[in-house]
Amino acid sequence: MFNPQKNIKLAPYTTLKIGAPAEFFGIIKTKEDLKEAILWAKNNKKTIFVLGGGSNLLVTGRVKGLVLKNEIRGLKILSKKKDYVLVEAMAGESWTKFVNFTIENNLYGLENLFLIYGTVGAAPIQNIGAYGVELKDSFYSLQAINLKTGQEKIFKLADCRFGYRDSIFKNKLKGKYFIYSVTLKLKKKAGLKLSYGAINTELNKRGINKPTLKDIVAVIMEIRNSKLPNPGILPNAGSYFKNTEVSKKDFAALLKKYPQIPNFPGEKKKIKIPTGWLIEQCGFKGKPLGPVSMYEKQALILVNHGGAEAKHVLALVKKVKAAVKKKFGLDIKEEINLI
Ligand SMILES: Cc1cc2nc3c(=O)[nH]c(=O)nc-3n(C[C@H](O)[C@H](O)[C@H](O)COP(=O)(O)OP(=O)(O)OC[C@H]3O[C@@H](n4cnc5c(N)ncnc54)[C@H](O)[C@@H]3O)c2cc1C
């Protein structure tokens, strides 16, 4: 029988190591556990919040209702076709373990997404992305369970409305579904994307001109380890903000004032400006405010130097947002999820 614990502190379950207690907290390992938890929440009139690896989360205060930590694991190859293979992962599986599994099976598509923290089930929520590749590029379908009714539903690619760090699960269906499993369509033949970030440069340095999947993940591991703080050493949740998309017209005006402004193509003919650069220009890179700061090597990442609480994070975020607005006239938006 599902029997959640009361008043469990969430900080240890997040990579930022910040978090007040949840009213109720339970760990689920099977679909039966999940169905029982949904029934318990219904009978006790509690809302459910699904927790994966806590690597994209700021717990801003005491969490009312039931926090369900998802540990439903498993990976399997569903079917093999001439050019592609369908692979299904249960939502509580580690994303990195999943990518490793696809690499071991010589399947292409997820290599650039190697070493992203968290669980498979959270990946569609913000359509995770790195080095010019997004989850949606290999997405086939997902199975979800309605958190109120327990009903199961399949979402195909178009249903998920994926965008830049965005999906229907961050908007219209926010908090409505438990993502139970994700199926990806992975290629048997190479279709590598190497031009983004420092991938090509690193491969050249190593004298590799025909990279294998293992070469790519080795290079990505090196790039990520050199740039991103390890949450086990310096707690953080990756990029705190999204990059900032502006219209061509607004970008032209900014370019006149700041000719050195970095940029790359965004969605719907917009231009993306690295928000880390905007924050850096406002003098926040590596500058502490109490126990938190924007990371000294990458100003997009907010780090907890020890003992930080949500109020410290929110105070820094407020200052950063106001400074960027004042200097550039731009509203920067959170990538992180707040509860
Ligand atoms: C050092 C570092 C680097 C990172 N780099 C990247 C990067 O390159 N690209 C990138 O896109 N992200 C990156 N991230 C962010 C993060 O790893 C991803 O967003 C990841 O998908 C979050 O997974 P999680 O299991 O930890 O989710 P959580 O933080 O636990 O949850 C995030 C959101 O998803 C919801 N959720 C989680 N699981 C489910 C489920 N099964 N069903 C329904 N809702 C669910 C939660 O309710 C919450 O709203 C990075 C994070 C860190 C710490």
Side-chain angles (χ1 to χ4, degrees):
M1 209 188 76
F2 183 72
N3 192 12
Q5 295 172 276
K6 265 187 165 175
N7 282 324
I8 296 296
K9 231 181 161 262
L10 293 177
Y13 295 100
T14 72
T15 59
L16 254 175
K17 296 287 171 265
I18 292 176
E23 188 185 2
F24 291 95
F25 178 88
I27 296 180
I28 49 167
K29 293 182 186 284
T30 62
K31 196 186 248 186
E32 288 67 43
D33 291 350
L34 171 62
K35 295 262 165 139
E36 283 185 19
I38 292 173
L39 194 61
W40 181 93
K42 192 177 172 195
N43 291 340
N44 290 279
K45 298 194 170 52
K46 299 290 173 195
T47 51
I48 295 178
F49 179 83
V50 185
L51 177 68
S55 65
N56 198 2
L57 199 62
L58 175 66
V59 182
T60 58
R62 202 179 142 75
V63 182
K64 276 191 163 182
L66 171 64
V67 172
L68 264 192
K69 168 119 175 72
N70 176 19
E71 293 188 2
I72 304 176
R73 302 204 171 106
L75 295 170
K76 66 173 178 239
I77 291 185
L78 284 186
S79 65
K80 292 184 179 180
K81 299 281 184 268
K82 189 166 158 265
D83 298 326
Y84 66 88
V85 173
L86 292 182
V87 187
E88 184 187 44
M90 296 297 123
E93 195 57 84
S94 138
W95 175 259
T96 295
K97 189 173 165 199
F98 180 36
V99 178
N100 265 323
F101 175 81
T102 66
I103 305 288
E104 291 303 326
N105 283 283
N106 233 4
L107 298 172
Y108 295 81
L110 302 185
E111 54 283 356
N112 290 26
L113 304 178
F114 184 59
L115 269 197
I116 295 184
Y117 283 80
T119 55
V120 167
I125 303 284
Q126 73 158 2
N127 179 28
I128 57 168
Y131 304 104
V133 172
E134 291 180 330
L135 178 84
K136 75 166 167 40
D137 303 330
S138 302
F139 183 87
Y140 184 74
S141 68
L142 66 80
Q143 191 185 347
I145 298 177
N146 188 301
L147 284 167
K148 274 216 167 109
T149 63
Q151 266 185 340
E152 299 184 12
K153 184 173 160 122
I154 301 290
F155 287 80
K156 294 287 209 181
L157 181 64
D159 303 326
C160 295
R161 311 224 186 118
F162 288 126
Y164 165 58
R165 298 296 183 277
D166 205 21
S167 74
I168 196 164
F169 305 105
K170 276 192 109 170
N171 297 291
K172 196 175 153 204
L173 298 184
K174 188 173 172 176
K176 299 243 186 311
Y177 279 93
F178 181 99
I179 293 176
Y180 175 72
S181 70
V182 179
T183 299
L184 297 186
K185 184 176 172 176
L186 301 169
K187 291 187 282 295
K188 284 181 166 174
K189 281 196 195 132
L192 302 173
K193 269 201 181 173
L194 308 176
S195 58
Y196 201 94
I199 302 182
N200 255 334
T201 321
E202 274 302 319
L203 288 169
N204 289 339
K205 258 198 223 163
R206 294 173 183 213
I208 300 170
N209 45 33
K210 277 195 178 160
T212 63
L213 280 171
K214 287 197 173 157
D215 292 329
I216 292 167
V217 296
V219 158
I220 286 182
M221 184 151 75
E222 181 158 327
I223 301 171
R224 291 186 76 98
N225 285 342
S226 70
K227 278 195 172 173
L228 304 176
N230 177 342
I233 298 167
L234 189 55
N236 72 87
S239 304
Y240 194 94
F241 299 102
K242 293 184 188 191
N243 285 323
T244 303
E245 292 189 304
V246 295
S247 68
K248 279 192 173 156
K249 192 171 157 235
D250 290 347
F251 181 72
L254 279 167
L255 197 60
K256 268 194 191 152
K257 230 172 149 189
Y258 304 99
Q260 76 285 28
I261 195 164
N263 63 91
F264 46 100
E267 284 171 359
K268 296 179 189 151
K269 296 188 181 159
K270 289 193 170 182
I271 310 281
K272 241 188 233 171
I273 302 173
T275 302
W277 184 86
L278 299 171
I279 296 171
E280 193 179 340
Q281 298 306 303
C282 295
F284 282 96
K285 192 178 186 181
K287 187 173 127 191
L289 184 73
V292 292
S293 72
M294 303 315 292
Y295 185 48
E296 60 187 5
K297 291 191 201 166
Q298 165 53 284
L300 200 55
I301 300 176
L302 189 149
V303 292
N304 170 6
H305 295 280
E309 294 172 29
K311 65 178 181 197
H312 300 116
V313 174
L314 296 173
L316 176 58
V317 166
K318 196 172 166 193
K319 274 183 178 269
V320 167
K321 281 183 163 181
V324 173
K325 179 79 178 172
K326 191 166 173 215
K327 192 170 170 74
F328 298 101
L330 295 173
D331 291 306
I332 59 173
K333 296 196 178 79
E334 278 84 357
E335 175 177 316
I336 197 166
N337 298 276
L338 296 130
I339 43 161

